[in-house]
Amino acid sequence: MARHRNRLLSPFKRFYLRTTGYSYPNMGRLFLRLFIGIMLFQFGLRQISSFNEIKDTFPAVLGMTSELSLIVMILIETVCSAFIMVGMFTRIMCAPPFIAMAIAEYYLLSDTLSPASYDLSWQHLGYLPVMFMGIYFFLALVGPGKLSIDYFLSLHIIHTENRNEDEELEQM
């Protein structure tokens, strides 16, 4: 009886071990880079397509005009996203969108600064920049992974200088 039960549970045990015991960190980083890159890139494309309508109403930040602020934001959203998606200069390219999202968060909350602003619902737009910031911080912290141009460039540099890969690169 016990042997029959073990045979029956064996597929479930294997399934459980396969779903919990295996990890795909490099695929996960690739997915996250592609996801966040596409998400921010589409914001840039929307702003390009409606540039004339929003250039005068876009918030002027850091002493720039509204139009220049919009151009800088479009560049951040498109250029940085493209670099992040392919995994090139990933940690550096996470900084401009992170800062842009921090500024966006400030402007979103400054419009609603009142006693009621502490009672924001999850649907409030103020949470979107914070989610972007969290993902950019995570990517800057963990790096692009082995499925990136950064990783292959680092391997190329290490090998051209006849250095040992294991000593130069930590687990990515």
Side-chain angles (χ1 to χ4, degrees), residues 40-51 74 77-78:
L40 196 64
F41 195 81
Q42 57 94 18
F43 281 121
L45 292 179
R46 284 187 204 169
Q47 289 174 343
I48 289 170
S49 67
S50 59
F51 183 81
I74 289 171
E77 291 170 344
T78 55

Side-chain angles (χ1 to χ4, degrees), residues 88-135:
M88 187 166 185
F89 308 119
T90 305
R91 287 185 164 133
I92 296 166
M93 289 296 148
C94 283
F98 182 89
I99 294 167
M101 290 299 123
I103 293 171
E105 179 67 16
Y106 171 77
Y107 276 95
L108 282 172
L109 289 180
S110 69
D111 287 343
T112 60
L113 282 181
S114 67
S117 67
Y118 298 105
D119 200 21
L120 296 174
S121 72
W122 67 270
Q123 296 170 329
H124 192 272
L125 290 176
Y127 287 111
L128 189 61
V130 172
M131 286 190 280
F132 273 102
M133 288 169 57
I135 294 172

Side-chain angles (χ1 to χ4, degrees), residues 44-170:
L45 292 179
R46 284 187 204 169
Q47 289 174 343
I48 289 170
S49 67
S50 59
F51 183 81
N52 289 327
E53 292 87 35
I54 61 175
K55 69 179 179 182
D56 297 323
T57 59
F58 197 80
V61 296
L62 304 175
M64 296 183 280
T65 65
S66 292
E67 187 173 353
L68 184 58
S69 295
L70 180 59
I71 291 169
V72 169
M73 191 63 185
I74 289 171
L75 286 173
I76 288 172
E77 291 170 344
T78 55
V79 173
C80 292
S81 292
F83 274 82
I84 289 169
M85 284 189 280
V86 297
M88 187 166 185
F89 308 119
T90 305
R91 287 185 164 133
I92 296 166
M93 289 296 148
C94 283
F98 182 89
I99 294 167
M101 290 299 123
I103 293 171
E105 179 67 16
Y106 171 77
Y107 276 95
L108 282 172
L109 289 180
S110 69
D111 287 343
T112 60
L113 282 181
S114 67
S117 67
Y118 298 105
D119 200 21
L120 296 174
S121 72
W122 67 270
Q123 296 170 329
H124 192 272
L125 290 176
Y127 287 111
L128 189 61
V130 172
M131 286 190 280
F132 273 102
M133 288 169 57
I135 294 172
Y136 287 121
F137 181 77
F138 177 78
L139 281 176
L141 186 66
V142 300
K146 290 184 177 181
L147 300 173
S148 66
I149 293 176
D150 284 338
Y151 181 74
F152 293 116
L153 283 175
S154 63
L155 285 179
H156 175 71
I157 292 168
I158 289 169
H159 289 247
T160 56
E161 294 180 359
N162 292 324
R163 296 185 348 222
N164 187 351
E165 177 183 332
D166 294 331
E167 292 174 3
E168 294 295 327
L169 297 176
E170 292 183 63

